[in-house]
Amino acid sequence: MRFFRLYSFFVVSVLALILSACSDDDDGTDYPFDREVMELSVLRSCGDKADSGDACYRLRFRYPIETERLEALYLWLDTSVVDDTSKNVSSSQRDKADSVIEFVRKDGKTYDTIDLTGMIKDYLKEKYDSLQVAIFCKYSKGDPGAVQRLFLHFGDDQQPSLVSIRMDSIWTTGAVSQWFRPTDQTDYYSPAEISGPIVGYNVVITAANKDEDLRKLKISVEGAEDTVRYARIRFTHDSIWVDTTLHSSKEKNIFHFVILDGQGFDMDNDSANLFVMSINGLKTESRYTIGITSWDSSGNSSVEVTKDFFTTDSIAPLIATSLVTIEDTLFPGTGLAALDSNNRLRIFWSRAVDPLVKDHGIKEDTVLLFPSGCGAMDCYDTVASYDVMRFNPVTKTWDSVAFAGGSSSRYNKEYDWDDGYMSVVDGGRYVTDTIRWVVPGDTLILRIRARDASGYYSHSLIDTVYVSPSALANELECPEGFVAVSVSDTNKFCMEKFEHRNDSGEFVTNVLHSEAAAACEAMSASGFKVSLCKERDWELVCLSEGRLNFGVVEDDTVSSSEFLFRVCNIATNDSTSATNVTKRNYRCINPMGVHDMPGQLQEWVMGRSEDSAAVLKGASYKVFNGLDIESIARCTNRSFPFFTRVGYTQDTVYLYREGTRVDTVFEADTSRTLYAKLTTKDFKDSVQFFDVQDSSGNSVGVDYAPYAEYKKGGEEWLKSVSNGLVYVPDHVEKVFFTGEKIVYRKASSFYRSPSVGFRCCAYPEADSE
């Protein structure tokens, strides 16, 4: 999809391309950029003459802009005749071309393909990893453009991504580390295919103390197929295998083992990619290093990633068993926690301690209870830090929110009750933290662990906090999946929390505006009329009474564009996150509890008039060249989808002669001498109009194409341009093609895209009458 505002960026980009091409020279020679092929790419598809089982490669390219005196295209494989830097070729080099393709002019043909399959068989037999393809244009007169080239890649030569090691917990004699299965790109020409199988991992655990013996370590790995002690994965020539390693007393502080995997990255279930490795048998307060290298099934290995850690002392810190929150005064006696105006939740818990002796006698309860004679710096010390985590019910994982409210230095402040409120008090029993991105009515499951100076964690304090609903939520009992919103004192309604999903929980995308409207109207909710959200209502909810520019409670520690990119999936080309709710970030939420108004999917809304009914709001995961993230993500931004079509006129066309050149214009110019005037009867061009229909046979709009193009392509061509709709030929009209590409706005009624969804709104029936 394109937008009007893209045009200026496009012009600047073309000018930049022209300037850079024209400034490139070789020994003072100018190579006209308009006399060289462009947009070289490789198609992994077979031509008509390919044998079954062939590894097929086809070179796709765009013909030069200038084809007037183009005679032939020369093509070379390898670098033995044409190297990888030269811009020109001699006549002797042209005589040694692997292929010479005579140029045959075909009106309207701008792209072509050359089947390389048969030409590269010998190179495949010799097991080339890659192969240069060079192409050069021969002109009968004038300077040629420079040699253009690309490289074919054979097989899988892409390394797996790096393993990212996280230490989950460390104690006196052991540790638990976690990592997720890395992705592996198996095909150079298909960068989105990143789920190649990982054979396994070479793991090395090293003790800093060379006298320490690690040979009897106990290792267990959740998520692995198997583990092999004293081994490593190796690759030679075309074989990959597990080989044994030395484990003599000379290297007793180094422990090698292999973790076998055999699976590819699971895009739909993150937990299936998780490995949890437990190590037991280490020494107290000692230093160790874990190194992990992943291997794919083609023998490619990632770079080794290492992680240092220290085992802890022998006494774990202690923490209380429950949290304390401030009750919302609007709901007295309920225990419901209050939020501040920035959707933040303040939590308190009894200050944890690190015992210095084993027989300390401290009891863990809602607060820590200290026996007589157990004093600070004698019986216990303060802990080093706290680990605060929030359970994500969608992904079933714990998400870190430590230091959510600011610097960790506030853990040095002590709090206690003072007339029903928590205040800073010397010797207070409580410390505090702040949880951001909380919405009215939330239920939060929080986990807090205290950590001493050696890194030893306490048992987990796990508690559930029930957040008070907004007053508006009590007033409007919204249907399931909707949240109460307000755009003024009198305009209150319900909006879907996420973009619309079907009964299976999948986001509904690639729908027409009319289909989106019908899906909303088919929903039933007692006391409400459900419809596609009105454009102005969507915008005002996004603005949140003018407090937000982007429809999200932003992180004030980073710029808005960086936050939107990292959290809201704008212009990342990450369709997986957009279509899988478990991969979305809960922080892309507005204060009323509406998720993902910027980012993920653009949304159909009901426009403000019949002339602009099909309007898109928000931003999607798609990249729109020339538009910065902040521009496309603003709540006030609106988009009208269109297709680019060939321009034509049915009005009078005027031809004026200037020497041997004839100038074509579309308005009379009395200052010039008229050569000829063309009307409809003189036109040689024709346009075929189509009635565009949906799958039910309903007409959704009118489209058109040059008649010659339609007749040449036939039904197969129609299918390729129809985007899943039905194009029914309607009538043909005589026209004059202007030579321009125009914006065809009527396409909005039959535009659909995988990046476009919608959101329904439920309006109280009394307000909708």
Side-chain angles (χ1 to χ4, degrees), residues 1 4 73 83 170 272 288 329 356 412 474:
M1 186 177 64
F4 286 124
L73 303 178
D83 61 27
I170 305 170
Y288 302 90
T329 56
L356 300 176
N412 297 328
N474 279 352

Coordinates of all heavy atoms in Angstrom, one line a residue, residues 1 4 73 83 170 272 288 329 356 412 474:
M1 N 0.8 -1.2 0.0 CA 0.0 0.0 0.0 C 0.9 1.2 0.0 O 2.0 1.2 0.6 CB -0.9 0.0 1.2 CG -1.9 1.1 1.3 SD -3.0 1.0 2.7 CE -1.8 1.2 4.0
F4 N -0.2 9.2 -0.2 CA 0.2 10.5 -0.9 C 1.5 11.0 -0.4 O 2.3 11.4 -1.2 CB -0.9 11.5 -0.7 CG -2.2 11.3 -1.4 CD1 -3.4 11.2 -0.8 CD2 -2.1 11.0 -2.8 CE1 -4.5 10.9 -1.5 CE2 -3.3 10.8 -3.5 CZ -4.5 10.7 -2.8
L73 N 22.3 -9.0 -24.4 CA 22.8 -9.1 -23.0 C 23.9 -10.2 -22.9 O 23.6 -11.3 -23.4 CB 21.7 -9.4 -22.0 CG 20.5 -8.5 -22.0 CD1 19.4 -9.0 -21.1 CD2 20.9 -7.1 -21.7
D83 N 36.0 -10.2 -13.6 CA 36.3 -10.3 -12.2 C 35.1 -9.7 -11.4 O 34.1 -9.3 -12.0 CB 37.6 -9.7 -11.8 CG 37.7 -8.2 -12.2 OD1 36.7 -7.6 -12.3 OD2 38.8 -7.7 -12.5
I170 N 21.4 -18.8 41.1 CA 22.7 -19.2 41.5 C 22.7 -19.5 43.0 O 22.1 -18.7 43.8 CB 23.8 -18.2 41.2 CG1 23.8 -17.9 39.7 CG2 25.2 -18.8 41.5 CD1 24.7 -16.7 39.3
A272 N 8.4 -23.8 23.9 CA 9.0 -25.0 23.2 C 10.4 -24.7 22.8 O 11.1 -25.7 22.5 CB 8.1 -25.4 22.0
Y288 N 33.0 -19.3 37.7 CA 32.9 -20.2 36.6 C 32.5 -19.5 35.3 O 32.0 -18.3 35.3 CB 31.9 -21.3 36.9 CG 32.2 -22.1 38.1 CD1 31.7 -21.6 39.4 CD2 32.9 -23.2 38.1 CE1 32.0 -22.3 40.5 CE2 33.3 -23.9 39.2 CZ 32.8 -23.5 40.4 OH 33.1 -24.2 41.6
T329 N -9.7 4.5 47.4 CA -10.7 5.1 48.3 C -12.1 5.1 47.6 O -13.1 5.2 48.3 CB -10.3 6.5 48.7 OG1 -10.1 7.3 47.5 CG2 -9.1 6.5 49.5
L356 N 23.5 -13.7 58.8 CA 25.0 -13.9 58.9 C 25.3 -15.2 59.6 O 26.5 -15.6 59.6 CB 25.6 -12.7 59.6 CG 25.4 -11.3 58.9 CD1 26.0 -10.2 59.7 CD2 26.0 -11.3 57.5
N412 N 16.9 1.7 49.5 CA 17.6 2.2 50.7 C 16.6 2.9 51.6 O 16.9 3.1 52.8 CB 18.8 3.0 50.4 CG 19.8 2.3 49.6 OD1 20.0 1.1 49.8 ND2 20.6 3.0 48.7
N474 N -17.6 0.4 35.9 CA -18.8 0.1 36.7 C -20.1 0.6 36.1 O -21.2 0.0 36.2 CB -18.7 0.7 38.1 CG -17.8 -0.2 39.0 OD1 -17.5 -1.3 38.7 ND2 -17.5 0.3 40.2

